Amino acid sequence: MSNLLKTHRVLKKDNKTLVHINIPEDCVYDISYIIVQLESEKEPKILSEDIPEFIKENMLKFFRNSLEEFVEFIETNLEIFLSGKIPEDPKKNLQKALEKDSKKNLLNVLEKDEIIRLPDSYHFPINKLSFNNLNIDVSKRNIHFLTCKSPNFEVQCKRCKKNKNVSETGHCVCGIDLKINYVPVLDSEYLGSIFPDNCSFLCLNPSRFQFNCDKCGTNFESNKVGPNSKFLMNCWECGTQISFLIKKLIFIEKKTQVFKKGEELPNRGACKHYKKSYRWFRFPCCGSVYPCDICHDAETNHEHKLANKMVCGLCSKEQSVKKDCDCGMNLKKSTNCWEGGKGNRNKLSMNKKDKKKYTK
Protein backbone atom coordinates (compact mmCIF):
# COMPACT_ATOMS: atom_id res chain seq x y z
CA MET A 1 0.00 0.00 0.00
CA SER A 2 2.90 2.33 0.73
CA ASN A 3 4.09 2.01 -2.89
CA LEU A 4 0.66 2.96 -4.18
CA LEU A 5 0.72 6.14 -2.12
CA LYS A 6 3.93 7.17 -3.87
CA THR A 7 2.85 6.42 -7.44
CA HIS A 8 -0.95 6.76 -7.45
CA ARG A 9 -3.65 9.07 -6.32
CA VAL A 10 -5.16 7.34 -3.29
CA LEU A 11 -8.14 8.54 -1.26
CA LYS A 12 -9.32 7.06 2.02
CA LYS A 13 -12.74 7.74 3.45
CA ASP A 14 -14.35 5.78 6.27
CA ASN A 15 -13.70 2.12 5.38
CA LYS A 16 -13.22 2.80 1.68
CA THR A 17 -9.96 3.04 -0.24
CA LEU A 18 -10.04 4.62 -3.71
CA VAL A 19 -7.08 4.15 -6.05
CA HIS A 20 -6.92 5.98 -9.39
CA ILE A 21 -5.49 3.88 -12.20
CA ASN A 22 -2.70 5.63 -14.11
CA ILE A 23 -3.90 5.87 -17.71
CA PRO A 24 -1.03 6.37 -20.18
CA GLU A 25 -1.14 9.46 -22.38
CA ASP A 26 -0.81 7.41 -25.57
CA CYS A 27 -3.77 5.18 -24.71
CA VAL A 28 -5.86 4.68 -27.85
CA TYR A 29 -9.07 4.64 -25.83
CA ASP A 30 -10.68 7.85 -24.59
CA ILE A 31 -11.03 7.10 -20.89
CA SER A 32 -11.31 9.94 -18.39
CA TYR A 33 -10.72 7.94 -15.22
CA ILE A 34 -10.67 4.41 -13.75
CA ILE A 35 -10.91 3.99 -9.98
CA VAL A 36 -10.55 0.83 -7.92
CA GLN A 37 -12.71 1.00 -4.81
CA LEU A 38 -11.93 -1.38 -1.97
CA GLU A 39 -14.15 -1.53 1.08
CA SER A 40 -13.44 -3.69 4.10
CA GLU A 41 -15.18 -7.09 4.06
CA LYS A 42 -16.69 -6.36 0.63
CA GLU A 43 -15.81 -7.16 -2.94
CA PRO A 44 -13.84 -4.47 -4.80
CA LYS A 45 -15.47 -2.29 -7.45
CA ILE A 46 -14.31 -0.60 -10.64
CA LEU A 47 -15.63 2.95 -10.99
CA SER A 48 -15.67 4.52 -14.44
CA GLU A 49 -18.32 6.14 -16.62
CA ASP A 50 -16.48 5.28 -19.85
CA ILE A 51 -16.09 1.50 -19.42
CA PRO A 52 -18.86 -1.05 -20.11
CA GLU A 53 -19.92 -3.30 -17.25
CA PHE A 54 -18.58 -6.50 -18.83
CA ILE A 55 -15.05 -5.00 -18.98
CA LYS A 56 -15.29 -4.09 -15.30
CA GLU A 57 -16.33 -7.67 -14.53
CA ASN A 58 -13.36 -8.99 -16.53
CA MET A 59 -11.01 -6.82 -14.50
CA LEU A 60 -12.44 -7.89 -11.15
CA LYS A 61 -11.88 -11.57 -12.00
CA PHE A 62 -8.15 -11.02 -11.41
CA PHE A 63 -8.40 -9.62 -7.88
CA ARG A 64 -6.40 -11.86 -5.46
CA ASN A 65 -6.69 -10.03 -2.09
CA SER A 66 -3.71 -7.79 -2.88
CA LEU A 67 -4.76 -4.30 -3.98
CA GLU A 68 -1.25 -3.34 -5.05
CA GLU A 69 -0.83 -6.40 -7.31
CA PHE A 70 -4.32 -5.91 -8.72
CA VAL A 71 -3.69 -2.28 -9.67
CA GLU A 72 -0.35 -3.19 -11.25
CA PHE A 73 -1.98 -5.98 -13.28
CA ILE A 74 -4.78 -3.68 -14.49
CA GLU A 75 -2.30 -1.03 -15.63
CA THR A 76 -0.06 -3.58 -17.37
CA ASN A 77 -2.97 -5.08 -19.33
CA LEU A 78 -5.16 -1.99 -19.60
CA GLU A 79 -5.43 -1.90 -23.39
CA ILE A 80 -6.20 -5.64 -23.51
CA PHE A 81 -9.06 -5.12 -21.06
CA LEU A 82 -10.37 -2.05 -22.90
CA SER A 83 -10.39 -3.99 -26.19
CA GLY A 84 -12.85 -6.41 -24.60
CA LYS A 85 -10.35 -9.28 -24.32
CA ILE A 86 -9.12 -11.12 -21.23
CA PRO A 87 -5.36 -11.33 -20.59
CA GLU A 88 -3.65 -14.47 -19.37
CA ASP A 89 -3.60 -14.99 -15.63
CA PRO A 90 0.03 -15.11 -14.45
CA LYS A 91 -0.99 -17.05 -11.34
CA LYS A 92 -2.56 -19.81 -13.41
CA ASN A 93 0.41 -19.91 -15.77
CA LEU A 94 2.69 -20.26 -12.77
CA GLN A 95 0.49 -23.05 -11.40
CA LYS A 96 0.58 -24.85 -14.75
CA ALA A 97 4.34 -24.53 -14.86
CA LEU A 98 4.63 -25.95 -11.36
CA GLU A 99 2.29 -28.81 -12.25
CA LYS A 100 4.30 -29.48 -15.39
CA ASP A 101 7.56 -29.58 -13.43
CA SER A 102 5.94 -31.77 -10.81
CA LYS A 103 4.61 -34.12 -13.49
CA LYS A 104 8.03 -34.17 -15.15
CA ASN A 105 9.67 -35.10 -11.86
CA LEU A 106 7.01 -37.75 -11.29
CA LEU A 107 7.63 -39.06 -14.80
CA ASN A 108 11.34 -39.38 -14.09
CA VAL A 109 10.66 -41.22 -10.85
CA LEU A 110 8.17 -43.58 -12.45
CA GLU A 111 10.38 -44.23 -15.46
CA LYS A 112 13.03 -45.46 -13.07
CA ASP A 113 10.38 -47.88 -11.85
CA GLU A 114 9.89 -48.96 -15.49
CA ILE A 115 6.36 -47.57 -15.80
CA ILE A 116 5.88 -46.22 -19.32
CA ARG A 117 3.25 -43.96 -20.82
CA LEU A 118 2.03 -45.40 -24.11
CA PRO A 119 0.92 -43.14 -26.99
CA ASP A 120 -2.74 -42.12 -27.07
CA SER A 121 -3.05 -43.97 -30.39
CA TYR A 122 -1.90 -47.25 -28.82
CA HIS A 123 -4.02 -50.13 -30.12
CA PHE A 124 -4.93 -52.74 -27.56
CA PRO A 125 -4.84 -56.25 -29.11
CA ILE A 126 -8.34 -57.43 -29.99
CA ASN A 127 -8.37 -61.01 -31.29
CA LYS A 128 -11.45 -63.14 -31.71
CA LEU A 129 -10.76 -66.77 -30.90
CA SER A 130 -13.32 -69.52 -30.60
CA PHE A 131 -11.57 -70.76 -27.48
CA ASN A 132 -9.30 -68.94 -25.01
CA ASN A 133 -7.28 -71.10 -22.64
CA LEU A 134 -5.69 -68.60 -20.22
CA ASN A 135 -8.33 -67.89 -17.62
CA ILE A 136 -7.46 -64.91 -15.39
CA ASP A 137 -8.96 -63.84 -12.09
CA VAL A 138 -8.05 -60.16 -11.70
CA SER A 139 -9.44 -57.31 -9.63
CA LYS A 140 -9.22 -53.90 -11.34
CA ARG A 141 -9.81 -50.36 -10.15
CA ASN A 142 -10.34 -47.46 -12.58
CA ILE A 143 -9.01 -49.55 -15.49
CA HIS A 144 -10.95 -50.00 -18.72
CA PHE A 145 -8.63 -52.25 -20.75
CA LEU A 146 -6.02 -54.62 -19.34
CA THR A 147 -3.87 -56.93 -21.42
CA CYS A 148 -0.40 -58.44 -21.53
CA LYS A 149 1.55 -58.04 -24.74
CA SER A 150 4.68 -60.09 -23.95
CA PRO A 151 4.19 -62.35 -20.92
CA ASN A 152 6.93 -64.46 -19.37
CA PHE A 153 5.89 -68.06 -18.85
CA GLU A 154 7.41 -70.77 -16.71
CA VAL A 155 7.32 -73.97 -18.78
CA GLN A 156 8.55 -77.53 -18.42
CA CYS A 157 10.45 -79.30 -21.16
CA LYS A 158 8.64 -82.44 -22.29
CA ARG A 159 11.92 -84.27 -22.90
CA CYS A 160 14.03 -83.63 -19.80
CA LYS A 161 11.27 -82.26 -17.51
CA LYS A 162 13.35 -79.21 -16.55
CA ASN A 163 11.74 -75.82 -15.99
CA LYS A 164 12.61 -72.74 -18.01
CA ASN A 165 11.41 -69.13 -18.32
CA VAL A 166 10.17 -68.53 -21.88
CA SER A 167 8.64 -65.43 -23.46
CA GLU A 168 8.21 -66.71 -27.02
CA THR A 169 11.06 -69.09 -27.75
CA GLY A 170 13.77 -70.71 -25.68
CA HIS A 171 16.44 -73.38 -25.85
CA CYS A 172 16.47 -76.13 -23.25
CA VAL A 173 19.72 -77.58 -21.88
CA CYS A 174 18.77 -80.92 -23.42
CA GLY A 175 19.03 -79.35 -26.88
CA ILE A 176 15.35 -79.07 -27.74
CA ASP A 177 13.75 -75.78 -28.84
CA LEU A 178 10.88 -74.62 -26.67
CA LYS A 179 8.17 -72.44 -28.20
CA ILE A 180 5.03 -70.93 -26.79
CA ASN A 181 2.80 -68.96 -29.15
CA TYR A 182 0.73 -66.39 -27.25
CA VAL A 183 -2.34 -64.62 -28.66
CA PRO A 184 -3.57 -61.76 -26.40
CA VAL A 185 -7.22 -60.79 -26.18
CA LEU A 186 -9.29 -58.11 -24.46
CA ASP A 187 -11.53 -60.06 -22.14
CA SER A 188 -12.45 -59.68 -18.49
CA GLU A 189 -12.10 -63.44 -17.93
CA TYR A 190 -9.22 -64.40 -20.22
CA LEU A 191 -5.71 -63.11 -20.80
CA GLY A 192 -5.62 -64.84 -24.18
CA SER A 193 -4.49 -68.19 -25.53
CA ILE A 194 -1.17 -70.02 -25.55
CA PHE A 195 -0.04 -72.87 -27.76
CA PRO A 196 3.00 -74.62 -26.23
CA ASP A 197 5.37 -76.61 -28.42
CA ASN A 198 7.70 -79.22 -26.83
CA CYS A 199 6.80 -77.89 -23.38
CA SER A 200 4.04 -77.71 -20.80
CA PHE A 201 2.73 -74.55 -19.16
CA LEU A 202 3.44 -74.19 -15.43
CA CYS A 203 2.76 -70.59 -14.38
CA LEU A 204 3.00 -66.91 -15.30
CA ASN A 205 6.17 -65.12 -14.17
CA PRO A 206 6.23 -61.33 -13.53
CA SER A 207 5.34 -59.60 -16.80
CA ARG A 208 4.55 -56.13 -18.13
CA PHE A 209 0.86 -55.26 -18.57
CA GLN A 210 -0.78 -52.63 -20.77
CA PHE A 211 -3.79 -50.75 -19.42
CA ASN A 212 -5.57 -47.41 -19.62
CA CYS A 213 -7.19 -45.04 -17.16
CA ASP A 214 -10.95 -45.45 -17.04
CA LYS A 215 -11.42 -41.71 -16.36
CA CYS A 216 -9.26 -40.00 -19.00
CA GLY A 217 -8.20 -42.87 -21.29
CA THR A 218 -4.43 -42.37 -20.88
CA ASN A 219 -2.50 -45.53 -21.82
CA PHE A 220 0.25 -47.01 -19.66
CA GLU A 221 2.54 -50.02 -19.44
CA SER A 222 3.35 -51.31 -15.98
CA ASN A 223 6.59 -52.57 -14.56
CA LYS A 224 6.87 -56.33 -14.13
CA VAL A 225 3.92 -57.59 -12.11
CA GLY A 226 3.25 -61.20 -11.16
CA PRO A 227 0.32 -63.08 -9.65
CA ASN A 228 -0.67 -62.05 -6.11
CA SER A 229 1.33 -58.80 -6.35
CA LYS A 230 -0.69 -55.57 -6.44
CA PHE A 231 0.11 -52.79 -8.89
CA LEU A 232 -0.79 -49.25 -7.76
CA MET A 233 -0.20 -45.80 -9.28
CA ASN A 234 -1.85 -42.43 -9.88
CA CYS A 235 -2.74 -41.46 -13.44
CA TRP A 236 -0.28 -38.87 -14.74
CA GLU A 237 -3.06 -36.89 -16.43
CA CYS A 238 -6.04 -36.83 -14.06
CA GLY A 239 -4.51 -38.14 -10.83
CA THR A 240 -6.98 -41.03 -10.54
CA GLN A 241 -5.70 -43.95 -8.49
CA ILE A 242 -5.22 -47.02 -10.69
CA SER A 243 -4.65 -50.53 -9.40
CA PHE A 244 -4.95 -54.17 -10.37
CA LEU A 245 -4.24 -57.48 -8.68
CA ILE A 246 -3.87 -60.79 -10.51
CA LYS A 247 -5.30 -63.32 -8.11
CA LYS A 248 -5.03 -66.46 -10.22
CA LEU A 249 -4.14 -67.62 -13.73
CA ILE A 250 -5.37 -71.00 -14.98
CA PHE A 251 -4.27 -72.75 -18.16
CA ILE A 252 -7.25 -74.65 -19.56
CA GLU A 253 -6.04 -77.58 -21.60
CA LYS A 254 -8.35 -79.00 -24.22
CA LYS A 255 -8.75 -82.77 -24.30
CA THR A 256 -7.96 -84.57 -27.54
CA GLN A 257 -11.15 -86.43 -28.39
CA VAL A 258 -12.09 -88.12 -31.65
CA PHE A 259 -15.61 -89.35 -32.38
CA LYS A 260 -16.59 -91.53 -35.32
CA LYS A 261 -20.06 -90.95 -36.66
CA GLY A 262 -22.23 -94.03 -36.49
CA GLU A 263 -20.42 -95.51 -33.49
CA GLU A 264 -21.67 -95.51 -29.91
CA LEU A 265 -20.07 -93.59 -27.07
CA PRO A 266 -18.95 -95.57 -24.01
CA ASN A 267 -22.08 -96.68 -22.12
CA ARG A 268 -24.06 -94.93 -24.86
CA GLY A 269 -23.10 -91.62 -23.27
CA ALA A 270 -24.48 -92.39 -19.81
CA CYS A 271 -22.42 -91.80 -16.68
CA LYS A 272 -22.69 -92.65 -12.98
CA HIS A 273 -24.29 -89.29 -12.26
CA TYR A 274 -26.95 -89.43 -14.99
CA LYS A 275 -27.61 -93.04 -15.91
CA LYS A 276 -30.44 -92.25 -18.34
CA SER A 277 -28.82 -89.36 -20.19
CA TYR A 278 -27.47 -90.78 -23.43
CA ARG A 279 -25.28 -87.93 -24.61
CA TRP A 280 -22.09 -86.05 -23.90
CA PHE A 281 -21.80 -82.28 -23.74
CA ARG A 282 -19.22 -79.93 -25.22
CA PHE A 283 -18.39 -77.21 -22.70
CA PRO A 284 -17.35 -73.81 -24.15
CA CYS A 285 -15.04 -73.03 -21.22
CA CYS A 286 -12.48 -75.61 -22.36
CA GLY A 287 -13.87 -76.94 -25.64
CA SER A 288 -13.84 -80.49 -24.29
CA VAL A 289 -16.62 -83.08 -24.14
CA TYR A 290 -17.84 -84.69 -20.90
CA PRO A 291 -20.92 -86.77 -19.98
CA CYS A 292 -22.14 -84.12 -17.50
CA ASP A 293 -21.16 -81.02 -15.56
CA ILE A 294 -20.13 -83.07 -12.51
CA CYS A 295 -17.76 -85.18 -14.61
CA HIS A 296 -16.33 -81.97 -16.08
CA ASP A 297 -15.65 -80.34 -12.72
CA ALA A 298 -14.12 -83.54 -11.34
CA GLU A 299 -11.55 -83.81 -14.15
CA THR A 300 -10.66 -80.15 -14.79
CA ASN A 301 -9.11 -77.24 -12.86
CA HIS A 302 -11.84 -74.72 -13.68
CA GLU A 303 -15.57 -74.25 -13.27
CA HIS A 304 -17.81 -75.31 -16.12
CA LYS A 305 -19.89 -73.06 -18.31
CA LEU A 306 -23.26 -74.08 -19.67
CA ALA A 307 -22.79 -76.46 -22.60
CA ASN A 308 -24.04 -75.32 -25.98
CA LYS A 309 -23.47 -78.53 -27.98
CA MET A 310 -23.88 -82.26 -27.43
CA VAL A 311 -22.73 -85.57 -28.90
CA CYS A 312 -25.32 -88.30 -29.37
CA GLY A 313 -24.56 -91.44 -27.36
CA LEU A 314 -25.72 -93.75 -30.17
CA CYS A 315 -24.38 -92.23 -33.40
CA SER A 316 -21.71 -89.80 -32.04
CA LYS A 317 -23.13 -86.94 -34.08
CA GLU A 318 -22.31 -83.50 -32.65
CA GLN A 319 -25.25 -81.11 -32.69
CA SER A 320 -27.00 -78.40 -30.73
CA VAL A 321 -28.49 -79.40 -27.39
CA LYS A 322 -31.95 -80.94 -27.82
CA LYS A 323 -34.06 -83.84 -26.58
CA ASP A 324 -33.87 -86.19 -29.57
CA CYS A 325 -31.28 -87.04 -32.22
CA ASP A 326 -31.92 -87.52 -35.94
CA CYS A 327 -30.95 -91.17 -35.56
CA GLY A 328 -34.06 -91.77 -33.44
CA MET A 329 -32.29 -91.88 -30.08
CA ASN A 330 -34.21 -90.42 -27.17
CA LEU A 331 -31.36 -88.64 -25.42
CA LYS A 332 -33.08 -87.78 -22.20
CA LYS A 333 -34.53 -91.05 -20.93
CA SER A 334 -34.65 -94.70 -21.90
CA THR A 335 -37.68 -96.55 -23.24
CA ASN A 336 -38.55 -100.24 -23.10
CA CYS A 337 -38.69 -100.71 -26.86
CA TRP A 338 -36.31 -100.09 -29.77
CA GLU A 339 -33.95 -98.09 -27.61
CA GLY A 340 -31.91 -95.79 -29.75
CA GLY A 341 -33.46 -97.11 -32.93
CA LYS A 342 -32.14 -100.63 -32.37
CA GLY A 343 -34.24 -103.79 -32.34
CA ASN A 344 -37.01 -105.17 -34.53
CA ARG A 345 -39.47 -102.54 -35.74
CA ASN A 346 -41.47 -104.84 -38.05
CA LYS A 347 -44.54 -105.99 -36.13
CA LEU A 348 -45.16 -108.88 -38.56
CA SER A 349 -41.84 -110.49 -37.71
CA MET A 350 -41.98 -109.73 -33.98
CA ASN A 351 -42.19 -112.48 -31.43
CA LYS A 352 -45.73 -113.20 -30.27
CA LYS A 353 -44.67 -112.57 -26.69
CA ASP A 354 -43.52 -109.02 -27.53
CA LYS A 355 -46.03 -106.59 -26.04
CA LYS A 356 -45.39 -104.06 -28.80
CA LYS A 357 -46.52 -106.50 -31.54
CA TYR A 358 -50.21 -105.74 -31.06
CA THR A 359 -50.06 -102.08 -29.99
CA LYS A 360 -51.04 -99.32 -32.35
Side-chain angles (χ1 to χ4, degrees), residues 154-158 161-164 198-200 202:
E154 188 79 17
V155 298
Q156 186 180 71
C157 176
K158 287 187 175 180
K161 305 300 180 183
K162 289 189 177 181
N163 299 348
K164 187 174 180 62
N198 296 327
C199 58
S200 302
L202 294 178

Side-chain angles (χ1 to χ4, degrees), residues 223-236:
N223 53 0
K224 290 188 176 182
V225 181
N228 298 318
S229 57
K230 187 175 183 179
F231 175 83
L232 179 66
M233 68 169 286
N234 290 330
C235 178
W236 300 354

